[in-house]
Amino acid sequence: MNKEILITDVVSNEWEMFTNTNNIGRRSSCQDQKGNFIASRAAYWNMFDEQVLSSYLKDLSNAKSNKINLAAQKYGYMMESTDPDYFKSIKHLLVPVSDKKLKLVDSIMLIYMKWEESLISSSLDNKNRVLYKQYDSKYNTSVETYMRGELTSYSEETLSLILAQFLKNVSDGENPVKNYLLTLKNYEEGSKSRNCSKNSTCSVENSNSRDKLCDDNCKNTRNGFNSNLAAHYSTGDCNHKNTSTCNVESSKSASLKRIFSLNLDLAERLADIAVKVANSIDLDVVITVVDASSNPILFKRMDNSLLCSIEISQAKAKTAVEFKADTLYLSNNESLKTLNNFSNGSTNYCFLGGGVPIKSLCGKIIGGLGISGGSVEQDCLVAEKTLKIFENSLK
């Protein structure tokens, strides 16, 4: 079955569930606007490959057989963040979430949110949604919470396929969210040109109603209707510049005060410092420095370092840049350890400590440093101390 047919079948099944979701108070106007729903959901599902679509189509079929409304489930899961008190009263109506599913969702969200963050201040940043869950309320649902609720309604099989695809997207330098939002933007602009009224677009601006679930067979939440219903995940947090790095970028990576890109000269300075730091603890390491696109700038291997450290050092530097986070943070977060189970043929990732992103003064990642050769603690020490000395040398 080709992708276009799969998307049509998926969205058709979703519409049936969505339009039949019951809410406290009143029916949302969005539930009667099939054209908008189909356009926005089709744009969303176009991000995914045929394997993911086929798996989710099976999820929908299984849910219908078990009389479960996945649209209602999705919005119910969101309420854990948007309305915790009410969530407690409907939690028993939701399908329990396994530890494995939670880890898969967390892993996918790490990648997805970095794609969303990369679009901040772009033409696709339409401010329809705040970005982070700390800004959730009974009347506003963030991008982070909406996508997490969306993913939690999928099966573990579908989530595993999504994570594998997203890792490949990262490796290939692709941002599927950009294409998704561009498709939505074109649809919305087309709607405006046809003189559709604001009330017919079902946008965030027009849908701040508090729709809640009360039906025992549906597990919905008012917050699902605060968007262009089909998960229009726009990067709308007006305060994002102060918070966009705090959720993922842990860390001990340096903010370089005098440079805005890495070149060979600076990479050599980093490597020389790393060698001195490693020698100070009687450790032989492999050092890799990459640029902002995770392309190698410099590779240096100390005489007695381990052969296996060659690939590990390169993978750590690449991972730190592409996931925009300290690899120690990734390895220490229980919910993200599942990422260590995934790789693809063209790229190796490593989620062990010793890989750190390097940032300019404005917080932009300009490269990465990967250290391998000792224990995780030793590799981290060398990486962190190297960056500190390097930064101080620029003052």
Side-chain angles (χ1 to χ4, degrees):
M1 192 179 299
N2 67 36
K3 184 173 181 177
E4 185 176 347
I5 294 175
L6 283 168
I7 290 175
T8 299
D9 288 347
V10 164
V11 174
S12 176
N13 279 275
E14 286 189 319
W15 169 252
E16 181 180 350
M17 292 184 177
F18 181 78
T19 194
N20 288 307
T21 296
N22 295 323
N23 305 287
I24 286 178
R26 64 176 178 82
R27 178 178 176 82
S28 171
S29 61
C30 297
Q31 291 178 277
D32 297 315
Q33 296 170 0
K34 187 175 182 179
N36 288 335
F37 180 90
I38 291 174
S40 51
R41 285 309 279 177
Y44 168 74
W45 284 112
N46 195 51
M47 289 196 298
F48 302 101
D49 60 27
E50 287 86 347
Q51 277 189 301
V52 171
L53 291 165
S54 296
S55 181
Y56 183 63
L57 192 58
K58 186 166 66 175
D59 292 351
L60 289 164
S61 177
N62 290 338
K64 289 176 71 174
S65 297
N66 291 298
K67 298 182 178 180
I68 296 173
N69 186 326
L70 292 186
Q73 291 278 315
K74 169 173 69 176
Y75 298 128
Y77 291 130
M78 294 179 203
M79 294 193 74
E80 184 172 12
S81 178
T82 59
D83 193 352
D85 291 336
Y86 189 77
F87 176 77
K88 292 175 184 177
S89 71
I90 64 167
K91 186 176 180 180
H92 68 285
L93 300 174
L94 302 174
V95 176
V97 182
S98 67
D99 289 341
K100 180 179 179 180
K101 178 179 281 193
L102 284 173
K103 291 177 180 179
L104 285 166
V105 170
D106 282 340
S107 301
I108 294 168
M109 286 299 298
L110 175 69
I111 303 171
Y112 185 88
M113 289 302 292
K114 299 316 293 183
W115 283 333
E116 285 281 0
E117 289 168 5
S118 73
L119 299 175
I120 290 173
S121 300
S122 74
S123 62
L124 300 176
D125 183 6
N126 61 20
K127 304 297 186 295
N128 276 358
R129 278 190 186 276
V130 296
L131 195 56
Y132 304 108
K133 66 180 182 180
Q134 61 259 44
Y135 300 108
D136 284 340
S137 71
K138 293 179 181 181
Y139 305 97
N140 292 287
T141 307
S142 64
V143 169
E144 184 178 6
T145 293
Y146 202 112
M147 187 59 173
R148 183 174 292 277
E150 174 89 31
L151 293 171
T152 305
S153 69
Y154 303 167
S155 68
E156 292 177 5
E157 179 183 358
T158 298
L159 292 170
S160 295
L161 291 169
I162 289 174
L163 182 54
Q165 181 197 314
F166 277 14
L167 285 170
K168 186 176 187 305
N169 292 144
V170 170
S171 172
D172 294 341
E174 299 170 346
N175 183 348
V177 176
K178 181 177 180 180
N179 293 331
Y180 159 46
L181 292 179
L182 181 60
T183 300
L184 274 182
K185 181 180 179 182
N186 290 337
Y187 170 72
E188 291 171 353
E189 289 177 349
S191 296
K192 290 178 182 178
S193 69
R194 291 188 294 271
N195 297 317
C196 291
S197 66
K198 278 192 173 183
N199 290 333
S200 70
T201 63
C202 195
S203 68
V204 176
E205 295 173 333
N206 307 316
S207 53
N208 293 320
S209 57
R210 296 180 56 186
D211 300 326
K212 274 191 180 179
L213 162 82
C214 64
D215 187 271
D216 286 342
N217 296 317
C218 296
K219 297 89 179 178
N220 208 346
T221 171
R222 57 193 166 219
N223 300 295
F225 304 107
N226 284 343
S227 75
N228 188 5
L229 46 109
H232 186 174
Y233 314 122
S234 63
T235 53
D237 176 12
C238 61
N239 296 317
H240 66 267
K241 291 183 180 177
N242 296 323
T243 60
S244 61
T245 60
C246 62
N247 291 335
V248 175
E249 297 165 8
S250 69
S251 60
K252 301 179 177 179
S253 57
S255 262
L256 302 179
K257 292 182 171 57
R258 300 278 182 94
I259 61 174
F260 295 92
S261 64
L262 285 182
N263 55 29
L264 180 59
D265 178 63
L266 291 171
E268 288 176 338
R269 289 171 63 180
L270 270 167
D272 289 344
I273 294 170
V275 168
K276 292 178 181 178
V277 173
N279 280 330
S280 71
I281 59 172
D282 296 321
L283 182 67
D284 292 297
V285 299
V286 176
I287 304 148
T288 300
V289 180
V290 299
D291 63 18
S293 298
S294 72
N295 297 312
I297 299 177
L298 181 144
F299 167 81
K300 179 172 283 190
R301 179 189 172 203
M302 296 176 69
D303 290 340
N304 296 313
S305 59
L306 300 173
L307 288 175
C308 64
S309 293
I310 295 174
E311 290 189 4
I312 294 174
S313 169
Q314 295 170 347
K316 285 180 179 180
K318 183 180 182 72
T319 302
V321 170
E322 296 193 2
F323 287 86
K324 301 182 180 180
D326 187 333
T327 55
L328 177 63
Y329 165 77
L330 297 173
S331 67
N332 283 341
N333 190 315
E334 286 292 329
S335 64
L336 301 179
K337 283 185 178 179
T338 182
L339 287 169
N340 280 313
N341 297 325
F342 288 87
S343 64
N344 64 64
S346 61
T347 298
N348 291 320
Y349 294 111
C350 182
F351 299 93
L352 299 174
V356 288
I358 305 167
K359 302 176 192 175
S360 67
L361 176 61
C362 65
K364 179 181 178 182
I365 291 179
I366 58 175
L369 173 67
I371 301 292
S372 179
S375 65
V376 169
E377 292 76 12
Q378 289 174 318
D379 290 349
C380 288
L381 185 151
V382 173
E384 292 162 10
K385 192 169 183 178
T386 295
L387 282 179
K388 184 175 181 180
I389 295 172
F390 179 58
E391 183 180 21
N392 288 336
S393 72
L394 298 173
K395 293 179 179 179

